[in-house]
Amino acid sequence: MRILLILILLLPGCSGSINTPVSYFNVETPRPFGYVIGDEIPQRIIIETRSGISLQASSLPAKGQINRWLNLNQVTIKQSGQRYQIDLRYQVFYAPPTVKALTLPGFTVQFNQGENKPEEKMLSQSIPAWSFTLSPLRELVVRQTEQGEYLRPDSPPQLLENTQAWYGLSASLTVTVLTAAYLSFLYGFFPKLLRRTLFKQALRKLAGLSKTDMEQVLSIVHYALNTLNGQPLFYNQLSDFYQRNPQYRQISAKLEWFFNYSNRYFFSAGMITVTPDLQQIKDLCEQCRKIERGSL
């Protein structure tokens, strides 16, 4: 009898525990002060239910206008097992003349339990109302100065990140320069510039050659003269060359010697090259370099 009496006394407590749908409940709210018209206020509700209990999403407040000064802009539900995270985002549109206390309205969340009869399976959890203070955008009594109304300056805007803009500008400038260089090359602008350094390059190539490299020496000087002339230059074309490049007429004797020497070297058998011949060719190239620089 004593054991039966203890079991009877424990039954109401067990029954209440079973009918409690929520094992954990918490409402997370931000600071309750410092809001002005147009501000958004987030609210997070954490609910953990017993096994077999599920949240009824339709019991949550619907997005839209709550009252004349309050809107519900966002309702988000994240579920992980029996844990529900409900994020609400309110927005206030009240313009108080002074600091005013307002309240986010409470509501009731409902749950489904098993497959019992409809009138038996509906369980609920109350979400309490939450109070906060709203401040006016400007003072009720505006301060005055001798020059007129006193206004505080606007806070400076946050500067936008411009790294990508600089990258885009740099890339555009690079493409523009490369395009201009390519067009200049196609229209023959660069060859005109290279003509000012033809014999400079030739002298650099001749510096390391000896009389045993006479074929290469002659080819280097011929290449420079051909490039300057715009086409292959031969001995019988020197008069036309002087008409197009009159500044080279002053070394005509050395140019004529060079072409005669080249003809003998390439078309005569058994010609012996000596060091003075190499030096004379280098002297000719030096004279041409001075002419292209404008110093002769």
Side-chain angles (χ1 to χ4, degrees):
M1 286 297 295
R2 182 178 299 176
I3 296 175
L4 180 61
L5 179 61
I6 294 174
L7 291 175
I8 294 174
L9 292 176
L10 290 176
L11 280 177
C14 295
S15 177
S17 174
I18 294 174
N19 290 332
T20 302
V22 176
S23 59
Y24 176 81
F25 171 73
N26 186 38
V27 179
E28 300 176 2
T29 53
R31 68 183 191 279
F33 58 87
Y35 298 97
V36 297
I37 182 173
D39 281 350
E40 289 189 330
I41 303 176
Q43 186 181 54
R44 173 169 295 177
I45 303 168
I46 306 296
I47 298 176
E48 292 185 10
T49 63
R50 291 188 295 103
S51 178
I53 304 295
S54 61
L55 174 70
Q56 187 176 2
S58 60
S59 65
L60 295 174
K63 288 174 56 177
Q65 185 174 2
I66 303 298
N67 52 43
R68 63 183 180 86
W69 57 266
L70 183 65
N71 275 16
L72 180 57
N73 292 342
Q74 179 180 337
V75 179
T76 304
I77 304 174
K78 295 181 181 179
Q79 182 180 359
S80 177
Q82 296 300 122
R83 179 185 176 90
Y84 296 88
Q85 176 180 303
I86 306 169
D87 289 303
L88 308 176
R89 187 168 292 274
Y90 295 91
Q91 187 173 19
V92 291
F93 294 98
Y94 190 85
T98 59
V99 177
K100 185 176 180 62
L102 298 173
T103 301
L104 295 182
F107 55 92
T108 299
V109 178
Q110 296 180 339
F111 303 90
N112 295 328
Q113 179 180 4
E115 297 181 355
N116 297 336
K117 296 181 181 180
E119 61 272 11
E120 297 177 353
K121 68 177 181 179
M122 299 304 296
L123 303 173
S124 62
Q125 171 69 49
S126 296
I127 309 299
W130 181 74
S131 298
F132 64 98
T133 58
L134 195 68
S135 303
L137 286 176
R138 58 181 296 175
E139 299 165 306
L140 183 61
V141 178
V142 179
R143 289 180 286 174
Q144 299 283 333
T145 64
E146 295 180 356
Q147 289 75 27
E149 184 175 342
Y150 170 80
L151 294 177
R152 287 174 291 181
D154 295 334
S155 60
Q158 184 178 1
L159 297 179
L160 298 177
E161 178 63 39
N162 60 356
T163 303
Q164 295 298 327
W166 278 111
Y167 287 158
L169 178 60
S170 300
S172 300
L173 290 176
T174 302
V175 172
T176 301
V177 170
L178 293 177
T179 303
Y182 179 67
L183 292 176
S184 299
F185 175 77
L186 290 181
Y187 285 94
F189 181 70
F190 282 165
K192 294 179 182 178
L193 295 179
L194 293 176
R195 288 168 61 138
R196 302 294 301 274
T197 61
L198 288 173
F199 295 101
K200 178 182 179 180
Q201 297 175 22
L203 284 171
R204 186 181 298 116
K205 295 176 182 177
L206 293 175
L209 301 179
S210 64
K211 66 178 182 178
T212 59
D213 305 311
M214 185 57 70
E215 181 177 350
Q216 187 176 355
V217 170
L218 294 172
S219 298
I220 291 171
V221 179
H222 273 298
Y223 176 80
L225 290 170
N226 292 342
T227 305
L228 178 62
N229 190 48
Q231 58 185 356
L233 179 62
F234 300 99
Y235 179 84
N236 60 353
Q237 298 173 336
L238 284 175
S239 59
D240 295 334
F241 173 76
Y242 295 144
Q243 290 181 1
R244 291 190 298 271
N245 305 278
Q247 64 274 27
Y248 287 87
R249 191 183 297 274
Q250 57 187 313
I251 59 170
S252 58
K254 294 184 178 182
L255 286 172
E256 291 171 5
W257 173 88
F258 170 77
F259 278 97
N260 286 326
Y261 182 87
S262 178
N263 287 335
R264 293 198 310 273
Y265 179 84
F266 287 109
F267 302 108
S268 298
M271 183 177 177
I272 300 175
T273 58
V274 294
T275 302
D277 296 338
L278 175 63
Q279 188 59 46
Q280 193 166 346
I281 295 174
K282 289 184 177 181
D283 291 341
L284 169 64
C285 202
E286 287 281 1
Q287 296 294 316
C288 292
R289 172 57 181 160
K290 291 180 181 180
I291 292 175
E292 76 178 359
R293 292 177 57 189
S295 59
L296 183 63

